[in-house]
């Protein structure tokens, strides 16, 4: 009997009901469909804002400390990696990588006096994808938290940066 129910969905089970059970099914099926539709809509429309590393979902911030290995080096945060890649292959890459804080790494990355790579605008989204992927794959607890968001839209909620 248990095996029967494990192999079928609630809708398949309700289709097998007879007699008075069918009346119950018919009576509540409309309610079940409404609730199911509402849940699906809520899941599709959910937005999760994150920004500060201290807030809920702060782990999604590039400033969240979660060391990861990439390109044969250890990176303290994804912000360090992202900013350093503006100067890939130069002495400035290492200077950004070893910055004491992600704020310092960002400041170095925004320094207009340093020779930024010419293709930066074309590759910056790929760089962000690469470092975020490494961060979440190398930290199972972060991966679980990311997957727990389901189909919600994740938004870095800040007025400081309109691009991301």
């Amino acid at each position: 009997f248990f095996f029967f129910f494990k192999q079928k969905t609630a809708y398949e089970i309700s289709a097998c009901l007879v007699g008075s059970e069918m009346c119950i099914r018919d009576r509540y099926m409309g309610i079940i469909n409404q609730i199911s539709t509402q849940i699906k809509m809520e899941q599709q429309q959910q937005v999760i804002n994150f920004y500060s590393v201290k807030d809920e979902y702060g782990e999604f911030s590039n400033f969240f400390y979660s060391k990861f290995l990439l390109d044969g080096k250890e990176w303290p945060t994804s912000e360090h990696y992202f900013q350093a890649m503006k100067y890939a292959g130069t002495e400035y890459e290492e200077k950004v990588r070893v910055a004491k804080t992600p704020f310092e790494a960002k400041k170095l990355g925004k320094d207009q006096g340093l020779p930024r790579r010419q293709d930066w605008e074309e590759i910056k989204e790929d760089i962000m994808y690469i470092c975020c992927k490494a961060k979440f794959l190398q930290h199972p607890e972060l991966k679980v938290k990311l997957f727990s968001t389901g189909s919600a839209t994740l938004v870095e909620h800040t007025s400081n940066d309109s691009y991301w």
Side-chain angles (χ1 to χ4, degrees):
F1 184 72
F2 182 72
F3 179 76
F4 170 78
F5 282 102
K6 269 191 91 117
Q7 300 300 314
K8 299 200 178 285
T9 66
Y11 293 106
E12 291 170 327
I13 293 168
S14 68
C16 299
L17 301 176
V18 293
S20 62
E21 294 167 333
M22 286 179 68
C23 293
I24 293 169
R25 178 202 67 197
D26 293 343
R27 183 174 176 191
Y28 293 104
M29 197 52 106
I31 295 170
I32 291 169
N33 285 335
Q34 287 175 347
I35 292 170
S36 177
T37 301
Q38 183 178 356
I39 290 170
K40 286 178 184 174
M41 287 175 57
E42 287 174 5
Q43 287 176 338
Q44 290 173 350
Q45 295 174 354
Q46 184 181 11
V47 174
I48 295 174
N49 293 318
F50 66 93
Y51 182 66
S52 172
V53 297
K54 297 175 186 173
D55 294 338
E56 186 176 15
Y57 298 104
E59 301 92 336
F60 297 169
S61 169
N62 289 321
F63 283 57
F64 183 78
Y65 283 94
S66 52
K67 294 180 182 179
F68 59 91
L69 295 173
L70 193 57
D71 299 335
K73 298 177 183 177
E74 184 176 79
W75 300 89
T77 69
S78 49
E79 188 69 24
H80 281 80
Y81 183 84
F82 180 78
Q83 297 298 339
M85 289 301 101
K86 292 177 179 178
Y87 314 109
T90 72
E91 64 187 88
Y92 301 111
E93 174 186 343
E94 185 64 12
K95 187 174 181 180
V96 175
R97 187 183 75 80
V98 299
K100 292 188 189 286
T101 69
F103 298 101
E104 186 181 325
K106 184 172 186 172
K107 184 178 176 184
L108 290 167
K110 291 195 171 278
D111 187 337
Q112 297 298 318
L114 297 178
R116 184 178 294 176
R117 62 192 293 168
Q118 291 181 346
D119 63 348
W120 180 246
E121 290 303 315
E122 291 80 38
I123 65 156
K124 67 182 178 183
E125 289 181 15
D126 293 334
I127 297 295
M128 183 62 77
Y129 173 79
I130 289 166
C131 65
C132 287
K133 182 178 177 183
K135 170 183 170 177
F136 286 95
L137 287 178
Q138 293 178 36
H139 292 276
E141 71 283 3
L142 297 181
K143 183 178 174 182
V144 167
K145 183 132 189 185
L146 178 62
F147 285 172
S148 76
T149 63
S151 61
T153 301
L154 305 177
V155 177
E156 183 181 31
H157 193 62
T158 178
S159 58
N160 300 333
D161 187 347
S162 61
Y163 185 82
W164 300 104

